[in-house]
Amino acid sequence: QVQLVESGGGLVQAGGSLRLSCAASGRTLSSYAVGWFRQAPGKEREFVAAISWSGTDTHYSDSVKGRFTTSRDNAKNTIYLQMNNLKPEDTAVYYCATNPSYTDTYSNSGYNYWGQGTQVTVSS
């Protein structure tokens, strides 16, 4: 069992930055790849980014590529999502989730444990 807690969300103006954290407890996070997803009001949850167990491989959705960066500190059992040049369309609840096999990373079905989410609101 893994418990995930996201933090770092908030209200920011367009063009600003936020760094989200995803802290794990219960099991070491180094056993899992981790993904970030987001869900805006009235929309389906969508893939944002994923990072491999070691952190050497990452990939991103086209909508955030070049602006967001995910990283991990396995010693701290924590994953990060650095979000720069934020846009109003980035407004959503952001979730982290664990992926035991680093496959099917773009789909919700590839993930087994989820955090409760953190709200990110970008004003224009």
Side-chain angles (χ1 to χ4, degrees), residues 37-86:
F37 287 74
R38 66 186 182 186
Q39 187 167 20
K43 294 187 177 181
E44 294 188 353
R45 190 175 299 185
E46 65 173 2
F47 170 80
V48 174
I51 186 167
S52 62
W53 301 277
S54 63
T56 56
D57 185 70
T58 58
H59 52 278
Y60 303 88
S61 67
D62 287 343
S63 61
V64 308
K65 197 173 296 182
R67 300 188 296 121
F68 291 12
T69 303
T70 186
S71 60
R72 66 192 300 159
D73 186 338
N74 285 338
K76 295 183 178 180
N77 234 21
T78 302
I79 309 294
Y80 303 99
L81 183 67
Q82 178 67 42
M83 306 186 296
N84 297 330
N85 191 23
L86 283 160

Short mmCIF file of all heavy atoms in Angstrom, two decimals, residues 37-86:
data_model
loop_
_atom_site.label_atom_id
_atom_site.label_comp_id
_atom_site.label_asym_id
_atom_site.label_seq_id
_atom_site.Cartn_x
_atom_site.Cartn_y
_atom_site.Cartn_z
N PHE A 37 -1.23 13.72 -13.48
CA PHE A 37 -2.44 13.93 -14.26
C PHE A 37 -3.12 15.20 -13.76
O PHE A 37 -2.82 15.69 -12.68
CB PHE A 37 -3.40 12.74 -14.10
CG PHE A 37 -2.97 11.50 -14.82
CD1 PHE A 37 -1.93 10.72 -14.34
CD2 PHE A 37 -3.60 11.10 -15.98
CE1 PHE A 37 -1.53 9.58 -15.01
CE2 PHE A 37 -3.22 9.95 -16.65
CZ PHE A 37 -2.17 9.19 -16.16
N ARG A 38 -4.06 15.70 -14.53
CA ARG A 38 -4.84 16.84 -14.08
C ARG A 38 -6.27 16.72 -14.59
O ARG A 38 -6.53 16.07 -15.60
CB ARG A 38 -4.23 18.16 -14.56
CG ARG A 38 -4.24 18.37 -16.07
CD ARG A 38 -3.46 19.63 -16.43
NE ARG A 38 -3.49 19.90 -17.87
CZ ARG A 38 -2.80 20.88 -18.45
NH1 ARG A 38 -2.01 21.67 -17.72
NH2 ARG A 38 -2.88 21.05 -19.76
N GLN A 39 -7.17 17.36 -13.86
CA GLN A 39 -8.57 17.34 -14.23
C GLN A 39 -9.17 18.72 -14.01
O GLN A 39 -9.20 19.21 -12.88
CB GLN A 39 -9.35 16.30 -13.43
CG GLN A 39 -10.78 16.11 -13.90
CD GLN A 39 -11.42 14.87 -13.31
OE1 GLN A 39 -10.98 14.33 -12.30
NE2 GLN A 39 -12.47 14.38 -13.97
N ALA A 40 -9.61 19.31 -15.10
CA ALA A 40 -10.27 20.61 -15.04
C ALA A 40 -11.77 20.39 -14.88
O ALA A 40 -12.29 19.31 -15.24
CB ALA A 40 -9.99 21.39 -16.31
N PRO A 41 -12.49 21.37 -14.38
CA PRO A 41 -13.94 21.22 -14.19
C PRO A 41 -14.65 20.85 -15.49
O PRO A 41 -14.42 21.48 -16.53
CB PRO A 41 -14.37 22.60 -13.71
CG PRO A 41 -13.16 23.18 -13.07
CD PRO A 41 -12.00 22.66 -13.86
N GLY A 42 -15.47 19.82 -15.44
CA GLY A 42 -16.22 19.41 -16.60
C GLY A 42 -15.44 18.63 -17.64
O GLY A 42 -15.97 18.31 -18.70
N LYS A 43 -14.18 18.34 -17.33
CA LYS A 43 -13.34 17.61 -18.29
C LYS A 43 -12.84 16.31 -17.68
O LYS A 43 -12.83 16.13 -16.47
CB LYS A 43 -12.16 18.47 -18.73
CG LYS A 43 -12.56 19.71 -19.52
CD LYS A 43 -11.35 20.42 -20.07
CE LYS A 43 -11.74 21.62 -20.93
NZ LYS A 43 -10.54 22.30 -21.49
N GLU A 44 -12.40 15.41 -18.54
CA GLU A 44 -11.82 14.17 -18.07
C GLU A 44 -10.40 14.39 -17.57
O GLU A 44 -9.72 15.33 -17.96
CB GLU A 44 -11.82 13.14 -19.21
CG GLU A 44 -13.20 12.69 -19.65
CD GLU A 44 -13.15 11.54 -20.62
OE1 GLU A 44 -12.04 11.16 -21.06
OE2 GLU A 44 -14.22 11.01 -20.97
N ARG A 45 -9.98 13.48 -16.69
CA ARG A 45 -8.60 13.54 -16.21
C ARG A 45 -7.67 13.27 -17.38
O ARG A 45 -7.90 12.34 -18.17
CB ARG A 45 -8.41 12.50 -15.12
CG ARG A 45 -7.10 12.60 -14.37
CD ARG A 45 -7.05 11.60 -13.23
NE ARG A 45 -8.10 11.83 -12.25
CZ ARG A 45 -8.21 11.13 -11.12
NH1 ARG A 45 -7.32 10.19 -10.84
NH2 ARG A 45 -9.19 11.37 -10.29
N GLU A 46 -6.60 14.06 -17.48
CA GLU A 46 -5.67 13.91 -18.59
C GLU A 46 -4.23 13.77 -18.10
O GLU A 46 -3.84 14.31 -17.07
CB GLU A 46 -5.77 15.10 -19.55
CG GLU A 46 -5.35 16.42 -18.96
CD GLU A 46 -5.30 17.54 -20.00
OE1 GLU A 46 -5.63 17.30 -21.17
OE2 GLU A 46 -4.92 18.66 -19.63
N PHE A 47 -3.46 13.06 -18.89
CA PHE A 47 -2.05 12.83 -18.60
C PHE A 47 -1.27 14.14 -18.74
O PHE A 47 -1.51 14.92 -19.66
CB PHE A 47 -1.49 11.79 -19.56
CG PHE A 47 0.00 11.65 -19.52
CD1 PHE A 47 0.60 10.90 -18.53
CD2 PHE A 47 0.80 12.26 -20.48
CE1 PHE A 47 1.98 10.76 -18.48
CE2 PHE A 47 2.17 12.13 -20.46
CZ PHE A 47 2.76 11.38 -19.46
N VAL A 48 -0.32 14.34 -17.83
CA VAL A 48 0.55 15.51 -17.88
C VAL A 48 2.01 15.10 -18.09
O VAL A 48 2.68 15.59 -18.99
CB VAL A 48 0.43 16.35 -16.60
CG1 VAL A 48 1.44 17.49 -16.58
CG2 VAL A 48 -0.99 16.89 -16.44
N ALA A 49 2.51 14.21 -17.23
CA ALA A 49 3.93 13.84 -17.28
C ALA A 49 4.12 12.52 -16.57
O ALA A 49 3.29 12.11 -15.76
CB ALA A 49 4.78 14.92 -16.61
N ALA A 50 5.25 11.86 -16.88
CA ALA A 50 5.61 10.64 -16.19
C ALA A 50 7.12 10.57 -16.06
O ALA A 50 7.86 11.13 -16.89
CB ALA A 50 5.08 9.41 -16.93
N ILE A 51 7.56 9.86 -15.01
CA ILE A 51 8.98 9.72 -14.75
C ILE A 51 9.26 8.29 -14.36
O ILE A 51 8.50 7.66 -13.63
CB ILE A 51 9.44 10.72 -13.66
CG1 ILE A 51 10.94 10.69 -13.47
CG2 ILE A 51 8.69 10.49 -12.34
CD1 ILE A 51 11.47 11.87 -12.65
N SER A 52 10.38 7.75 -14.85
CA SER A 52 10.75 6.37 -14.58
C SER A 52 11.23 6.19 -13.14
O SER A 52 11.41 7.16 -12.41
CB SER A 52 11.83 5.92 -15.56
OG SER A 52 13.00 6.72 -15.39
N TRP A 53 11.49 4.94 -12.75
CA TRP A 53 11.91 4.64 -11.38
C TRP A 53 13.16 5.43 -10.98
O TRP A 53 13.21 5.97 -9.89
CB TRP A 53 12.25 3.16 -11.25
CG TRP A 53 11.18 2.22 -11.57
CD1 TRP A 53 10.18 1.81 -10.74
CD2 TRP A 53 10.96 1.53 -12.80
NE1 TRP A 53 9.36 0.91 -11.40
CE2 TRP A 53 9.82 0.72 -12.65
CE3 TRP A 53 11.62 1.52 -14.03
CZ2 TRP A 53 9.33 -0.08 -13.68
CZ3 TRP A 53 11.13 0.73 -15.05
CH2 TRP A 53 10.00 -0.06 -14.87
N SER A 54 14.13 5.45 -11.87
CA SER A 54 15.40 6.10 -11.55
C SER A 54 15.37 7.61 -11.82
O SER A 54 16.24 8.34 -11.37
CB SER A 54 16.53 5.49 -12.36
OG SER A 54 16.30 5.71 -13.74
N GLY A 55 14.38 8.03 -12.60
CA GLY A 55 14.31 9.44 -12.98
C GLY A 55 15.05 9.78 -14.25
O GLY A 55 15.08 10.93 -14.68
N THR A 56 15.65 8.77 -14.89
CA THR A 56 16.43 9.02 -16.09
C THR A 56 15.56 9.20 -17.33
O THR A 56 16.03 9.72 -18.34
CB THR A 56 17.43 7.89 -16.34
OG1 THR A 56 16.71 6.65 -16.40
CG2 THR A 56 18.47 7.83 -15.24
N ASP A 57 14.32 8.76 -17.26
CA ASP A 57 13.42 8.90 -18.41
C ASP A 57 12.16 9.65 -17.99
O ASP A 57 11.56 9.34 -16.96
CB ASP A 57 13.04 7.53 -18.95
CG ASP A 57 12.21 7.65 -20.22
OD1 ASP A 57 12.77 8.06 -21.26
OD2 ASP A 57 10.99 7.38 -20.16
N THR A 58 11.80 10.64 -18.78
CA THR A 58 10.57 11.39 -18.55
C THR A 58 9.86 11.62 -19.88
O THR A 58 10.50 11.61 -20.95
CB THR A 58 10.84 12.76 -17.91
OG1 THR A 58 11.73 13.51 -18.76
CG2 THR A 58 11.47 12.63 -16.53
N HIS A 59 8.56 11.83 -19.84
CA HIS A 59 7.86 12.27 -21.02
C HIS A 59 6.64 13.08 -20.61
O HIS A 59 6.18 12.99 -19.46
CB HIS A 59 7.47 11.12 -21.96
CG HIS A 59 6.73 10.00 -21.32
ND1 HIS A 59 7.37 9.00 -20.63
CD2 HIS A 59 5.41 9.71 -21.28
CE1 HIS A 59 6.47 8.13 -20.20
NE2 HIS A 59 5.27 8.54 -20.56
N TYR A 60 6.16 13.89 -21.54
CA TYR A 60 5.17 14.91 -21.24
C TYR A 60 4.09 14.96 -22.32
O TYR A 60 4.31 14.60 -23.47
CB TYR A 60 5.85 16.28 -21.16
CG TYR A 60 6.96 16.35 -20.15
CD1 TYR A 60 8.27 16.00 -20.49
CD2 TYR A 60 6.71 16.74 -18.83
CE1 TYR A 60 9.30 16.05 -19.55
CE2 TYR A 60 7.72 16.79 -17.90
CZ TYR A 60 9.01 16.44 -18.26
OH TYR A 60 10.02 16.48 -17.33
N SER A 61 2.95 15.49 -21.93
CA SER A 61 1.92 15.77 -22.92
C SER A 61 2.38 16.96 -23.76
O SER A 61 3.19 17.79 -23.32
CB SER A 61 0.59 16.09 -22.24
OG SER A 61 0.68 17.32 -21.54
N ASP A 62 1.86 17.04 -24.96
CA ASP A 62 2.25 18.14 -25.85
C ASP A 62 1.88 19.50 -25.26
O ASP A 62 2.56 20.50 -25.49
CB ASP A 62 1.58 17.96 -27.22
CG ASP A 62 2.18 16.84 -28.02
OD1 ASP A 62 3.30 16.39 -27.69
OD2 ASP A 62 1.51 16.38 -28.97
N SER A 63 0.81 19.54 -24.49
CA SER A 63 0.33 20.82 -23.96
C SER A 63 1.25 21.42 -22.91
O SER A 63 1.18 22.63 -22.65
CB SER A 63 -1.08 20.65 -23.40
OG SER A 63 -1.08 19.72 -22.33
N VAL A 64 2.11 20.61 -22.28
CA VAL A 64 2.99 21.13 -21.23
C VAL A 64 4.46 21.00 -21.58
O VAL A 64 5.31 21.53 -20.85
CB VAL A 64 2.72 20.45 -19.88
CG1 VAL A 64 1.24 20.51 -19.52
CG2 VAL A 64 3.22 19.02 -19.85
N LYS A 65 4.78 20.32 -22.66
CA LYS A 65 6.18 20.09 -23.03
C LYS A 65 6.91 21.41 -23.19
O LYS A 65 6.41 22.35 -23.83
CB LYS A 65 6.23 19.29 -24.33
CG LYS A 65 7.56 18.62 -24.62
CD LYS A 65 7.44 17.73 -25.85
CE LYS A 65 6.48 16.59 -25.62
NZ LYS A 65 6.39 15.69 -26.81
N GLY A 66 8.08 21.49 -22.58
CA GLY A 66 8.85 22.71 -22.63
C GLY A 66 8.56 23.69 -21.51
O GLY A 66 9.32 24.64 -21.29
N ARG A 67 7.46 23.48 -20.80
CA ARG A 67 7.09 24.37 -19.68
C ARG A 67 7.14 23.63 -18.34
O ARG A 67 7.44 24.26 -17.31
CB ARG A 67 5.68 24.93 -19.89
CG ARG A 67 5.52 25.73 -21.16
CD ARG A 67 4.15 26.41 -21.21
NE ARG A 67 3.05 25.45 -21.26
CZ ARG A 67 2.07 25.38 -20.36
NH1 ARG A 67 2.04 26.23 -19.34
NH2 ARG A 67 1.10 24.49 -20.49
N PHE A 68 6.81 22.36 -18.32
CA PHE A 68 6.79 21.57 -17.09
C PHE A 68 7.95 20.60 -17.06
O PHE A 68 8.36 20.06 -18.11
CB PHE A 68 5.49 20.77 -16.99
CG PHE A 68 4.23 21.56 -16.76
CD1 PHE A 68 4.20 22.94 -16.89
CD2 PHE A 68 3.06 20.91 -16.41
CE1 PHE A 68 3.04 23.66 -16.68
CE2 PHE A 68 1.88 21.61 -16.20
CZ PHE A 68 1.88 22.99 -16.34
N THR A 69 8.46 20.35 -15.87
CA THR A 69 9.53 19.38 -15.68
C THR A 69 9.22 18.55 -14.44
O THR A 69 8.97 19.11 -13.37
CB THR A 69 10.88 20.07 -15.50
OG1 THR A 69 11.15 20.92 -16.63
CG2 THR A 69 12.00 19.05 -15.36
N THR A 70 9.28 17.24 -14.59
CA THR A 70 9.11 16.37 -13.43
C THR A 70 10.46 15.78 -13.04
O THR A 70 11.31 15.51 -13.89
CB THR A 70 8.08 15.27 -13.70
OG1 THR A 70 7.83 14.54 -12.49
CG2 THR A 70 8.51 14.31 -14.79
N SER A 71 10.65 15.61 -11.74
CA SER A 71 11.89 15.05 -11.21
C SER A 71 11.54 14.27 -9.95
O SER A 71 10.41 14.31 -9.47
CB SER A 71 12.89 16.16 -10.92
OG SER A 71 12.37 17.06 -9.95
N ARG A 72 12.53 13.56 -9.43
CA ARG A 72 12.28 12.79 -8.22
C ARG A 72 13.51 12.77 -7.35
O ARG A 72 14.64 12.84 -7.83
CB ARG A 72 11.83 11.38 -8.57
CG ARG A 72 12.84 10.49 -9.25
CD ARG A 72 12.16 9.22 -9.79
NE ARG A 72 11.55 8.45 -8.72
CZ ARG A 72 10.58 7.56 -8.91
NH1 ARG A 72 10.11 7.32 -10.12
NH2 ARG A 72 10.08 6.89 -7.89
N ASP A 73 13.24 12.64 -6.05
CA ASP A 73 14.29 12.46 -5.05
C ASP A 73 13.90 11.21 -4.27
O ASP A 73 13.08 11.27 -3.34
CB ASP A 73 14.37 13.68 -4.14
CG ASP A 73 15.53 13.61 -3.16
OD1 ASP A 73 16.01 12.49 -2.88
OD2 ASP A 73 15.95 14.66 -2.67
N ASN A 74 14.45 10.09 -4.67
CA ASN A 74 14.05 8.82 -4.03
C ASN A 74 14.48 8.75 -2.57
O ASN A 74 13.84 8.08 -1.76
CB ASN A 74 14.61 7.64 -4.82
CG ASN A 74 13.85 7.41 -6.11
OD1 ASN A 74 12.70 7.82 -6.27
ND2 ASN A 74 14.50 6.76 -7.07
N ALA A 75 15.52 9.47 -2.22
CA ALA A 75 15.94 9.49 -0.81
C ALA A 75 14.89 10.16 0.07
O ALA A 75 14.73 9.82 1.24
CB ALA A 75 17.27 10.22 -0.69
N LYS A 76 14.16 11.10 -0.52
CA LYS A 76 13.10 11.81 0.20
C LYS A 76 11.72 11.22 -0.10
O LYS A 76 10.71 11.71 0.39
CB LYS A 76 13.10 13.29 -0.15
CG LYS A 76 14.35 14.02 0.32
CD LYS A 76 14.25 15.51 0.01
CE LYS A 76 15.48 16.25 0.51
NZ LYS A 76 15.43 17.70 0.23
N ASN A 77 11.69 10.19 -0.96
CA ASN A 77 10.42 9.57 -1.32
C ASN A 77 9.43 10.58 -1.90
O ASN A 77 8.23 10.55 -1.59
CB ASN A 77 9.80 8.86 -0.10
CG ASN A 77 9.47 7.41 -0.38
OD1 ASN A 77 10.01 6.80 -1.29
ND2 ASN A 77 8.59 6.86 0.42
N THR A 78 9.94 11.46 -2.73
CA THR A 78 9.14 12.57 -3.22
C THR A 78 9.38 12.79 -4.71
O THR A 78 10.50 12.65 -5.20
CB THR A 78 9.48 13.87 -2.46
OG1 THR A 78 9.26 13.66 -1.06
CG2 THR A 78 8.61 15.03 -2.94
N ILE A 79 8.28 13.12 -5.39
CA ILE A 79 8.31 13.48 -6.81
C ILE A 79 7.92 14.94 -6.93
O ILE A 79 7.09 15.43 -6.15
CB ILE A 79 7.31 12.63 -7.62
CG1 ILE A 79 7.49 11.15 -7.33
CG2 ILE A 79 7.41 12.91 -9.11
CD1 ILE A 79 8.77 10.58 -7.80
N TYR A 80 8.48 15.62 -7.92
CA TYR A 80 8.19 17.04 -8.11
C TYR A 80 7.68 17.30 -9.52
O TYR A 80 8.03 16.60 -10.48
CB TYR A 80 9.46 17.87 -7.87
CG TYR A 80 10.08 17.66 -6.52
CD1 TYR A 80 11.17 16.80 -6.36
CD2 TYR A 80 9.56 18.29 -5.39
CE1 TYR A 80 11.73 16.58 -5.12
CE2 TYR A 80 10.12 18.08 -4.14
CZ TYR A 80 11.21 17.22 -4.02
OH TYR A 80 11.76 17.01 -2.78
N LEU A 81 6.87 18.35 -9.63
CA LEU A 81 6.46 18.84 -10.94
C LEU A 81 6.66 20.35 -10.93
O LEU A 81 5.92 21.08 -10.27
CB LEU A 81 4.99 18.51 -11.23
CG LEU A 81 4.50 18.93 -12.62
CD1 LEU A 81 5.20 18.09 -13.70
CD2 LEU A 81 2.97 18.76 -12.73
N GLN A 82 7.71 20.79 -11.63
CA GLN A 82 7.98 22.21 -11.77
C GLN A 82 7.19 22.73 -12.95
O GLN A 82 7.34 22.23 -14.08
CB GLN A 82 9.48 22.45 -11.98
CG GLN A 82 9.85 23.91 -12.19
CD GLN A 82 9.63 24.76 -10.96
OE1 GLN A 82 9.94 24.34 -9.85
NE2 GLN A 82 9.08 25.96 -11.14
N MET A 83 6.36 23.74 -12.71
CA MET A 83 5.49 24.28 -13.76
C MET A 83 5.85 25.74 -13.98
O MET A 83 5.70 26.57 -13.07
CB MET A 83 4.02 24.14 -13.33
CG MET A 83 3.64 22.72 -12.95
SD MET A 83 1.88 22.51 -12.61
CE MET A 83 1.70 23.55 -11.18
N ASN A 84 6.33 26.04 -15.16
CA ASN A 84 6.72 27.39 -15.52
C ASN A 84 5.82 27.93 -16.63
O ASN A 84 5.16 27.18 -17.33
CB ASN A 84 8.17 27.42 -15.99
CG ASN A 84 9.15 27.00 -14.92
OD1 ASN A 84 8.91 27.21 -13.72
ND2 ASN A 84 10.25 26.39 -15.32
N ASN A 85 5.82 29.25 -16.77
CA ASN A 85 5.03 29.90 -17.81
C ASN A 85 3.59 29.38 -17.81
O ASN A 85 3.06 28.98 -18.85
CB ASN A 85 5.68 29.70 -19.18
CG ASN A 85 5.06 30.55 -20.26
OD1 ASN A 85 4.44 31.58 -19.97
ND2 ASN A 85 5.18 30.13 -21.51
N LEU A 86 2.99 29.39 -16.64
CA LEU A 86 1.64 28.84 -16.51
C LEU A 86 0.62 29.66 -17.29
O LEU A 86 0.74 30.88 -17.42
CB LEU A 86 1.25 28.78 -15.03
CG LEU A 86 1.91 27.61 -14.28
CD1 LEU A 86 1.91 27.85 -12.77
CD2 LEU A 86 1.19 26.30 -14.60
#
